[in-house]
Every structure is written in structure tokens, then in C-alpha cells.
Amino acid sequence: MIRPVNDSALALTRFWFWHLLYWLGYLLLKYTHLSLLIPLQQEAAFPYLATYTLITVINLSLTGWLGTRELARPCTPAQQLQRLAVWLMPLLLLLIPLRQYLLTHYAMKSGPDMMTHWSHYLVVGIPLVLLPLCGWVAVFLLMKLNFFTLQQLENRQQLLKQARQARLKVLRYQLNPHFMFNTLNALNSLIVSRKGLAAEDLIQQLSAFLRHSLKNQDDQWVPLREELQALEAYLAIQQVRFGERLVLDWQLSATKPMQLPPLLFQPMAEQAILWTVAEQSGPIHLHIELTEPCEPGEQAGMLQFIIRSDAAGTETQLWPASQVPASLQQLQERLELLFGSRASLTLLNPAFGFYARLNLPLEVLYAAHPARDRGR
């Protein structure tokens, strides 16, 4: 996977921040130590400070170049440690005699004893040069481990996001083939009966519904008005099929601008038709309600969409989960992927009249206006 350039630049910026902080902190600690210790020996502190400043600048520059080079290189901690040792060993061999030379010739009061014990001071100086480099190696390995841990976490989140988007597309594009079959049969009946105007109206409604179904290829949310127009087109097609047996009662009190995922209402309307007018004789009244409850309570702050038949009550038992139709199960899965636990779909047993209620969080719907990619 190709990662954004901004992520690498951010990791490099973090590295240089901690890199500079480490070496400047080391230099500050050394300054404090020398400024307190050297005057007690009745020697000038400046040569010592200048020596350690030069050594720190060399360390800062070479380890900075090395860290920039090695930060994004994928390798195990053991391999990385080996690579750092290959580069830092020559630096260590350079800095030890350089430090001793500068201290001997410019800082310490040289004399016969000093030159005689030059090798002794050289050996004593090894840990003073080695320990800061070892500390930098530890800090660098921690930074690199953090960098790759965050990288793997972001990659995993990106894969989960892509899988969720792919699943949403699959669920959204599952158009019931029976709906197309029945619509085409109804269209054929109108043509045979020479009802040209009714057939033309049916084609226009079918075209409007399919256009809404197939648009927004990138999971863009749509205005509430467009979603309602698609629902009206779908139910108009069903009215052509069933004629006077299907009576619709629209109660739309929620008209504020907001955005929502496409085709949330259609599966509920499809099942309402299937469990009422398609299975029963006589006229069927379906009530379609869209409201924003303002009273304090469980449903406050939710957009509420209800579709119910006349016979439906609100106190009957819930629809058994094992018997819920596939299209409504897919709708529940979409809601969970899009809203988590903030949205809900309530289904009552259709044996007592069809009743389905969809609750969507208004805060999310308002935040999505104007239309933009949600990509949650």
C-alpha cells in the first residue's frame, strides 16, 4: 500500500524533534556539570565546554543523517542494531582520540605526568563518548518502533475502512430482482391494455427510482428530499401494480435540510408491500411518517421514519430475529456499519399488522450537510 507523503514527513519531523532534544539535553547536562566541577580544580571551563560542544555537534550531525537514512527502512530490531553499529563504530573510534587530543592540548594543564598518563586518560574517556551514543541508539530504536507500530495501526484501520465501504456498496446495490420482474409485468399489462399514459408514467417512475439507486458511486450521502423522491417513485410503481387496493397516507413533518445514506427507506417500504397488500385481499392503508420528536425522551434527537399498516399496533411482540427478511437484515447491517449503536431499526411481528420504525441520529445527519463523503 502506498502511504501518503505527509505521514513520512510527519515521522521525520518527530524524529528530528526528539533527536535535537536528546543532544541539546545532553549538552545542557554536560555544561552544567563542567561549569560546577572545573572551577573547583582552578582551571578554565571554556576549553572543556568548547571541546564537548564540538563533539556534540559532530554527534548530532552524523547521527541525524544516519537516523534520517534508517528511520523508514523496514528491518528487525536486531538487524537495525547491527546496521547502526556498523556506522557508529567508526564514529566512536574517531571521537575517542579527538576528545582526548582536544582536552590534553587545549583544556588540561599539560606536563610530564599528563603526557605519561595519556593512554590512561584515553581509556577513561571511552565510556564518556560511548554512553551518549548508546543512549541515542536506544532513543532511536524507540522512535522507530513507535513509527512502525503507528504505521501498522493506520494500515489496519485503512483496510478495515475499505472493507466496510466495500460491504456497504454490496448491501446498497442488492436490488430485489422480484421488484424488477413485477414492475416489468405491470408495464406489459398496461401496454397490452393500451393504457399508454399509465405505462409512460410507470416508466418515468421506474427511471427515477433506478437513477437514484445507481448514483453516488463513492458512497456519498444524499439530501433527505432526494431520498423521499426515490421512495415516492417506488411506491408510485407499486400503486400502478395494485391499483386502488394500495392507499398511501403521507405524514412528512421533517423537512429541514440534512443528508443521509441512500436507499434506507426503500427496504422497509418493500417489506410493507410484501407483508400487506401482496398477501391480503381488500384495500390496504399504509401510513408513512417522517418526524423529528422534540419531546424529551428516548427518541429525542432522532429522525424517525415509520411505515405501518392500519392494523399494526405499537405494543405487539418484536419480529423474531430468525424470521426477519434478508433485505431488512441487510438494512440493519448497513445501519451498524454507518452509525454503530446510534441508529436503530424496530420491527414488530407482521402477523399483527406491519410496523417498522427507523431512528437516525439528527446530529450526524445535520453534520453531513452539505453532501460529502462520509467514509466512516
Side-chain angles (χ1 to χ4, degrees):
M1 180 185 299
I2 298 177
R3 296 182 52 77
V5 177
N6 288 342
D7 287 355
S8 299
L10 180 59
L12 195 58
T13 301
R14 289 173 177 170
F15 161 75
W16 274 100
F17 172 79
W18 291 109
H19 174 73
L20 291 172
L21 186 63
Y22 174 81
W23 284 117
L24 293 178
Y26 165 76
L27 190 60
L28 178 61
L29 182 64
K30 204 67 182 176
Y31 275 9
T32 304
H33 172 257
L34 293 174
S35 298
L36 295 176
L37 180 63
I38 300 302
L40 297 179
Q41 300 176 356
Q42 298 181 352
E43 296 184 31
F46 177 77
Y48 289 91
L49 299 179
T51 297
Y52 278 99
T53 300
L54 176 61
I55 293 176
T56 303
V57 169
I58 295 174
N59 277 327
L60 187 150
S61 303
L62 294 181
T63 54
W65 171 82
L66 181 60
T68 303
R69 185 176 183 273
E70 295 291 321
L71 182 63
R73 185 184 298 275
C75 55
T76 64
Q79 292 173 335
Q80 183 63 80
L81 193 59
Q82 184 178 2
R83 291 182 59 85
L84 291 176
V86 170
W87 286 98
L88 294 179
M89 189 59 67
L91 176 61
L92 181 65
L93 297 177
L94 170 67
L95 291 180
I96 291 174
L98 176 62
R99 170 191 173 277
Q100 189 58 36
Y101 177 83
L102 292 175
L103 291 179
T104 302
H105 289 78
Y106 297 102
M108 298 179 180
K109 294 181 178 180
S110 46
D113 291 339
M114 182 65 65
M115 300 308 298
T116 302
H117 297 90
W118 196 91
S119 59
H120 169 74
Y121 287 106
L122 180 64
V123 174
V124 172
I126 291 178
L128 297 178
V129 177
L130 179 61
L131 288 178
L133 287 175
C134 290
W136 178 87
V137 170
V139 172
F140 174 77
L141 290 177
L142 286 175
M143 285 189 290
K144 184 163 185 176
L145 178 61
N146 179 68
F147 170 70
F148 277 103
T149 300
L150 292 177
Q151 190 179 51
Q152 291 176 358
L153 179 61
E154 290 174 4
N155 286 342
R156 191 179 300 114
Q157 291 175 341
Q158 187 67 21
L159 289 175
L160 290 175
K161 176 181 175 182
Q162 291 174 355
R164 183 165 55 245
Q165 289 176 336
R167 180 58 181 161
L168 284 171
K169 288 183 179 180
V170 170
L171 293 172
R172 196 183 71 186
Y173 294 149
Q174 288 180 340
L175 184 62
N176 192 336
H178 295 289
F179 163 69
M180 290 297 299
F181 176 77
N182 293 330
T183 302
L184 292 177
N185 275 344
L187 178 61
N188 181 64
S189 299
L190 292 175
I191 294 174
V192 171
S193 303
R194 299 182 181 277
K195 298 180 179 179
L197 293 178
E200 182 180 353
D201 181 63
L202 178 60
I203 292 174
Q204 289 177 350
Q205 298 292 352
L206 179 60
S207 175
F209 177 74
L210 292 179
R211 183 167 55 250
H212 182 79
S213 302
L214 299 176
K215 71 184 297 188
N216 305 313
Q217 298 295 320
D218 296 327
D219 287 336
Q220 279 191 334
W221 289 21
V222 299
L224 174 62
R225 174 179 50 82
E226 289 187 15
E227 182 69 5
L228 290 175
Q229 289 174 350
L231 179 64
E232 291 173 359
Y234 175 82
L235 291 175
I237 294 171
Q238 300 297 347
Q239 281 189 304
V240 172
R241 283 185 57 204
F242 296 105
E244 296 180 354
R245 293 185 53 225
L246 176 60
V247 180
L248 301 176
D249 177 27
W250 294 86
Q251 301 177 32
L252 308 178
S253 60
T255 57
K256 295 179 181 179
M258 63 184 74
Q259 302 283 133
L260 69 163
L263 297 178
L264 288 185
F265 301 156
Q266 185 269 338
M268 299 169 62
E270 176 186 352
Q271 292 301 320
I273 297 293
L274 180 63
W275 287 89
T276 56
V277 65
E279 296 291 333
Q280 304 172 20
S281 58
I284 297 294
H285 285 75
L286 285 182
H287 302 270
I288 300 99
E289 304 173 11
L290 186 69
T291 59
E292 300 178 32
C294 299
E295 298 294 331
E298 183 179 349
Q299 308 303 334
M302 308 291 285
L303 177 69
Q304 193 172 91
F305 176 76
I306 300 175
I307 183 166
R308 61 181 178 86
S309 61
D310 265 346
T314 58
E315 298 181 357
T316 56
Q317 60 184 347
L318 295 177
W319 202 332
S322 59
Q323 301 176 16
V324 173
S327 62
L328 294 182
Q329 291 179 359
Q330 293 164 1
L331 177 58
Q332 288 176 323
E333 186 176 349
R334 282 188 71 195
L335 293 175
E336 184 175 354
L337 290 170
L338 288 163
F339 300 100
S341 60
R342 303 181 66 180
S344 63
L345 177 63
T346 303
L347 304 169
L348 301 185
N349 196 323
F352 304 96
F354 186 87
Y355 180 93
R357 182 179 72 242
L358 174 64
N359 289 329
L360 301 174
L362 284 171
E363 180 182 359
V364 178
L365 304 185
Y366 287 142
H369 181 77
R372 59 184 176 90
D373 270 347
R374 295 297 297 174
R376 299 180 67 252

